[in-house]
Amino acid sequence: MYRVVGCFISLVLLLAVVLTAPRNNAYAAEFGEAPMLAEMVANGKLPPAAERLPKTPMIVTPTDKLGQYGGTWMMAQNSERDHALLIRTIGYEPLLRWTPQWTDTVPNVALSMQANSDATEFVFRLRPGMRWSDGAPFTAEDISFWYDDILRNPAFGNATPEWLTAGGNPVHVEKIDETTVAFRFDTPYGLFPTFLARPEGVEPVSYPAHFLRPLLPKYNRHADADAQKLGFKDWKDRFLSVLGTPGTIDDPSRWMNPQVPTLNGWCLTGTYGKDDPLVAVRNPFYWKIDPGGRQLPYIDRVSFDLVGSKDEAGDTAITGRVNMQERHIGRRVDEILAANSNLQSFTLIESDMNILTLSLNLNDRDPVLRDIFQNKEFRVALSHAIDRDSIIGRFVPGALPHQAAPRPESPLYHTVLARQFITYDPVLAASHLANAGLTRKDDEGFLLRPDGKRLSFTIDTEGASRFEMLSACSLPLSITGVMSALM
């Protein structure tokens, strides 16, 4: 278990059970809206809420009570490689989404989904009248643009991620009409809705055609010249700078260009990694309402204070500049609560089974390393060569060694899978190395590969604390060559 700090009003706003229901008479309803938007409507700067919302907006039912308009959601964000915080808080709007209980996937951007009997075709009906954050219509044409002009564009190489393939072949996407689009696979893909509900599932609905077409030579014969005038090498260089590498959300570029229209509840007003604080304001065309017919979100703006480390994030929270957050500050909850009487904690079930997991690339490009990594005896040897108790005592006192396996709270928990091969035993590790056929050493005592080269490989990691843990791995001489890249 771990605790999260937050003020109560934010909890009511964010922890909602997501339900959907068609509203055929939506335009007959009297929609409510935030005072800041009502003022813009009164001044003629914005259409009325009924004209901004789709005909069938998504209804979000809070678990406790309806919220109140206003306020700022404050968080602390690492200034480098922390766009995951944006994805998890203001960037999760795929076609389908998980319920908060993680029991099922439900329509989100899509109004509905219909799968055929063998799970090779999934037809999505979109919400008529839905709009991007700049007011332009969002239709099946945008998804068709993503598929035809981005995903299949040879200039971007193989941009189709694995989760959009089945039987080794990529998805086929067809626009049926303005509000209907079909995803088809060559072989049954029953898990497609589950994958689509992951954060990566925002890809098909993240490419506003009206905004991006002028960047492509297919639609603008001056695309290269326009890009070069702005200091880019060519149109592709400009595109990647604006929206990042197609096919992946693990690229912060799309969070560095606030002018790109979005379907998210809040729109950035600044550039991630540059503006401090980084502020996002409500999307006036957001397509969700509460049961009372009031347009969401309730919160006016989201503000991210940029920090250099997790410790700085905790310090930021202690000084009162965070009012709801879990990421980065979970281990300093007691300090934060002691310094801020207006905050309270709530308990979540921990989902991480491990603080640090060593994952070997079983498909390494080096055929010799690939064979070694795929040998279970080698992996067992490596596991027994790591002194977990020493690392835990130094970095996470009180924790228990655990393999990459389901936690005890999970119905899939299996004692053997969770606790096997975790004993620090250099002699046993050497025995498993011998079983793997790795016994030869060079003059300095480093293990040799079957081809006579020194056995070594590089481990990539992010974050100072993880690097320190890796550097603290104390390994016996017979394994030192294996892990030399960590030292």
Side-chain angles (χ1 to χ4, degrees):
M1 300 286 188
Y2 61 93
R3 289 181 293 165
V4 184
V5 296
C7 57
F8 177 74
I9 189 171
S10 293
L11 304 186
V12 174
L13 309 185
L14 270 296
L15 299 181
V17 177
V18 179
L19 302 176
T20 59
R23 288 176 58 94
N24 295 327
N25 63 340
Y27 275 99
E30 184 69 29
F31 290 112
E33 60 188 345
M36 64 182 293
L37 298 184
E39 182 178 349
M40 295 175 67
V41 172
N43 293 333
K45 297 180 180 179
L46 197 67
E51 297 179 18
R52 303 196 308 269
L53 286 162
K55 292 182 179 179
T56 50
M58 182 174 181
I59 302 174
V60 180
T61 303
T63 57
D64 185 14
K65 61 182 179 180
L66 300 182
Q68 299 177 354
Y69 283 124
T72 299
W73 180 8
M74 299 184 294
M75 287 177 277
Q77 180 180 35
N78 199 304
S79 57
E80 295 182 2
R81 293 295 302 174
D82 198 17
H83 53 287
L85 182 61
L86 298 169
I87 293 171
R88 297 177 186 185
T89 54
I90 67 173
Y92 180 62
E93 298 293 358
L95 285 166
L96 305 178
R97 69 179 296 144
W98 282 100
T99 62
Q101 295 82 9
W102 295 85
T103 56
D104 197 8
T105 58
V106 294
N108 188 56
V109 168
L111 176 63
S112 65
M113 183 200 75
Q114 182 68 47
N116 64 359
S117 60
D118 64 355
T120 58
E121 180 182 79
F122 302 83
V123 178
F124 297 90
R125 184 186 174 201
L126 305 180
R127 301 176 185 277
M130 190 165 162
R131 298 177 181 276
W132 293 96
S133 58
D134 62 355
F138 166 76
T139 69
E141 184 65 25
D142 294 291
I143 297 179
S144 179
F145 169 79
W146 157 77
Y147 176 70
D148 292 326
D149 296 304
I150 306 301
L151 207 63
R152 300 180 63 198
N153 193 328
F156 296 123
N158 183 16
T160 304
E162 184 177 2
W163 68 272
L164 281 172
T165 65
N169 297 316
V171 65
H172 306 274
V173 179
E174 179 187 357
K175 171 189 169 184
I176 307 300
D177 56 39
E178 286 303 301
T179 57
T180 311
V181 61
F183 284 65
R184 299 189 178 98
F185 298 91
D186 292 343
T187 59
Y189 191 6
L191 290 177
F192 176 58
T194 300
F195 279 91
L196 193 61
R198 299 192 309 173
E200 291 86 345
V202 302
E203 274 291 283
V205 294
S206 294
Y207 294 81
H210 71 284
F211 181 86
L212 296 174
R213 277 177 175 153
L215 276 61
L216 303 180
K218 176 180 177 180
Y219 301 99
N220 176 13
R221 61 190 180 92
H222 302 296
D224 269 329
D226 292 345
Q228 290 165 1
K229 288 179 183 178
L230 296 173
F232 296 100
K233 177 183 177 182
D234 53 23
W235 73 266
K236 179 182 175 182
D237 189 33
R238 180 187 181 189
F239 184 95
L240 295 178
S241 174
V242 170
L243 211 65
T245 305
T248 177
I249 60 171
D250 192 23
D251 188 327
S253 299
R254 67 179 56 180
W255 299 103
M256 297 177 178
N257 295 278
Q259 73 275 18
V260 180
T262 180
L263 299 179
N264 297 330
W266 295 275
C267 310
L268 291 180
T269 62
T271 302
Y272 166 57
K274 177 181 177 181
D275 291 291
D276 185 18
L278 176 65
V279 175
V281 298
R282 65 168 64 253
N283 174 1
F285 294 90
Y286 195 51
W287 35 279
K288 296 183 182 181
I289 61 175
D290 69 12
R294 294 186 300 163
Q295 185 186 26
L296 299 173
Y298 293 127
I299 301 175
D300 287 334
R301 58 184 57 83
V302 185
S303 178
F304 301 87
D305 269 22
L306 297 186
V307 298
S309 66
K310 290 184 178 181
D311 281 341
E312 286 188 30
D315 293 340
T316 299
I318 288 173
T319 60
R321 289 179 289 159
V322 168
N323 57 15
M324 190 174 78
Q325 184 162 343
E326 179 276 322
R327 186 173 171 86
H328 304 322
I329 65 172
R331 297 183 186 179
R332 299 186 65 183
V333 169
D334 291 336
E335 294 178 72
I336 296 168
L337 294 176
N340 295 273
S341 59
N342 63 315
L343 297 179
Q344 59 181 304
S345 69
F346 56 95
T347 302
L348 302 177
I349 297 176
E350 177 66 77
S351 60
D352 292 338
M353 80 296 186
N354 219 302
I355 290 177
L356 183 68
T357 302
L358 179 62
S359 301
L360 302 179
N361 183 4
L362 302 185
N363 295 305
D364 196 283
R365 293 181 179 180
D366 183 332
V368 178
L369 270 184
R370 184 165 62 241
D371 288 342
I372 292 173
F373 291 164
Q374 290 182 0
N375 190 316
K376 180 179 178 180
E377 292 288 341
F378 173 78
R379 300 198 302 274
V380 171
L382 193 59
S383 187
H384 282 302
I386 298 175
D387 189 350
R388 292 172 174 80
D389 290 333
S390 175
I391 297 173
I392 288 173
R394 177 176 171 183
F395 296 99
V396 281
L400 293 174
H402 198 278
Q403 288 286 11
R407 292 173 56 89
E409 297 90 346
S410 169
L412 301 178
Y413 176 73
H414 191 287
T415 303
V416 174
L417 293 179
R419 305 283 293 170
Q420 63 184 345
F421 315 130
I422 61 175
T423 304
Y424 175 55
D425 191 330
V427 175
L428 185 57
S431 174
H432 283 287
L433 279 179
N435 292 340
L438 298 170
T439 56
R440 292 192 301 151
K441 303 176 184 178
D442 62 16
D443 294 339
E444 296 182 52
F446 285 90
L447 281 171
L448 298 178
R449 307 180 345 165
D451 59 2
K453 296 180 181 178
R454 181 177 286 183
L455 177 51
S456 65
F457 55 90
T458 301
I459 296 177
D460 295 324
T461 188
E462 287 286 346
S465 60
R466 290 193 185 99
F467 181 80
E468 290 179 8
M469 290 184 194
L470 285 171
S471 299
C473 287
S474 178
L475 303 169
L477 181 62
S478 60
I479 305 290
T480 302
V482 177
M483 301 288 282
S484 60
L486 300 180
M487 301 300 134

